[in-house]
Amino acid sequence: MSSKEKPTLGGTRIKTRKRNIAAPLDPAAFSDAVVQIYLDNAGDLELVAKSLESSDLNFSRYGDIFFEVVFIGGRTQTGSVKSDEGERHPYSIIDCEPTRDAILPSVVYIQKILRRKAFLIKNLENVTRRFLQSLELFEENERKKLAIFTALAFSQKLSGLPAETVFQPLLKDNLVAKGIVLTFVTDFFNEYLVENSLDDLISILRRGKMEDKLLEFLPPTKRTTESFAEHFTKAGLTALVEYNERKIFEVKLKEIKAVLTSQVTEEINVSEVIETVKQQVKDAKLPEIEVVHVIWDGIMNAIQWSGKNQQQNSNAVLRQVKTWAPLLNTLCSSGNMEMELMYKVQMQCYEDAKLMKVFPEVVRSLYELDVLAEDTILHWYRKGTNPKGRQTFVKGLEPFVNWLEEAEEEE
């Protein structure tokens, strides 16, 4: 090789892939092109979908704008939900009649688009969240259409619309305070329940982290159980009202049980605990059955199960029963409540393996402490209706029942 020649590399020549040159951003042109497709096909969504599929429009770059055109007929102005000065079509979701039949085709159309262009799912989520956060900028009838669309989207299991995308953006203080959110969710609930069950609706609310927060849809000045019941009863949603009352009731039960367990654990004076529980029961308007369950659970939950054998567990339960018998005696004040307590003890001993053999001793202790009457025990023994572990418990209680019956005959 001469000194003037340049060295070269031998071997295979590697081809480099040409990089795509990014097209300049032109959202207005994209919006106008989509609008024109709607206009050329006179809003026939089947034909629109086919035209969009065969077009070379850059959906990956302008996905948000595409859904703006779907929802409101054109590209939105900055900071607004109204269409820009560009082209607009009259076949959008907010141009439809506020009815199920008018809006459902748009849901089916979007589902078809998403199947072919799955990358647009995130854009649908973005635009939906933005519009829901800006509900006050829509007219009342437009908000109703959005509520119907959203309900149908969940009913049809539309991809790209997670529950949190719908419910969390609605909780803006100004939207809630003006009652806009309450009206929106009322329309949503009514539409969704046309073809779905209340359990389905609760499942959506749970995924949206709203299952236990339904009162937050009401303006702060009306955020009471009574206002909730009045509003949704008038809206024909009595099943939702009943569900909400049950949830509130369950929360109260948990609170009462937690307070009682805490007081029992801390060995607060029995008379003080009795007064606290009596007031809580009164405020919560608990039925008799629930009173029995709450008291027994509260007492038993406070036991520190450190025993390694049957006798130690038995002693722990009997000590607890003896200590808190005055509480049980005060609040289990009727034959029905005594029988419910028998069933409650039966169920706990059945469900907790370490307590299976304790049942007879607990019943006898409750009798000796004047919590359970002889008639209650005999009725349970002879005619009890709960089958859980009954055969075992009846056999275990037989010696004590024989003693009661002999004493009854002597008298």
Side-chain angles (χ1 to χ4, degrees), residues 374-388:
E374 177 182 333
D375 290 345
T376 301
I377 298 172
L378 292 177
H379 183 81
W380 178 91
Y381 182 82
R382 295 165 181 164
K383 300 180 180 180
T385 57
N386 192 327
K388 300 292 180 67

Side-chain angles (χ1 to χ4, degrees), residues 70-122:
V70 172
F71 276 98
I72 68 168
R75 187 166 65 104
T76 60
Q77 301 172 7
T78 303
S80 173
V81 297
K82 300 302 179 183
S83 58
D84 204 346
E85 295 178 354
E87 294 293 326
R88 189 181 185 283
H89 71 85
Y91 309 108
S92 69
I93 291 171
I94 65 169
D95 286 311
C96 292
E97 290 296 315
T99 65
R100 178 187 193 84
D101 290 341
I103 296 175
L104 182 57
S106 293
V107 178
V108 175
Y109 158 72
I110 291 175
Q111 186 71 286
K112 186 177 297 185
I113 295 293
L114 293 179
R115 288 196 188 106
R116 296 169 178 170
K117 303 180 187 300
F119 58 86
L120 288 175
I121 289 176
K122 190 65 178 177

Side-chain angles (χ1 to χ4, degrees), residues 296 300 305 310 313-315 317-318 321 338-368 372 376-382 384-401 404:
W296 184 258
M300 290 297 108
W305 299 103
Q310 183 64 43
N313 290 330
S314 177
N315 291 340
V317 173
L318 295 176
V321 168
E338 287 182 25
M339 183 57 66
E340 191 59 38
L341 179 58
M342 281 286 296
Y343 286 131
K344 180 64 179 174
V345 175
Q346 175 187 349
M347 283 306 299
Q348 180 161 19
C349 291
Y350 171 76
E351 293 172 351
D352 193 334
K354 64 178 174 290
L355 299 180
M356 279 292 289
K357 296 181 180 180
V358 179
F359 180 78
E361 297 177 71
V362 173
V363 172
R364 180 163 190 149
S365 180
L366 290 170
Y367 168 77
E368 293 173 347
L372 292 178
T376 301
I377 298 172
L378 292 177
H379 183 81
W380 178 91
Y381 182 82
R382 295 165 181 164
T385 57
N386 192 327
K388 300 292 180 67
R390 176 170 172 76
Q391 186 174 357
T392 299
F393 296 142
V394 165
K395 185 177 181 180
L397 200 61
E398 185 175 1
F400 177 57
V401 169
L404 287 177

Side-chain angles (χ1 to χ4, degrees), residues 285-299:
K285 300 177 182 178
L286 295 187
E288 289 185 344
I289 290 177
E290 296 300 341
V291 172
V292 174
H293 292 178
V294 164
I295 294 173
W296 184 258
D297 285 342
I299 291 172

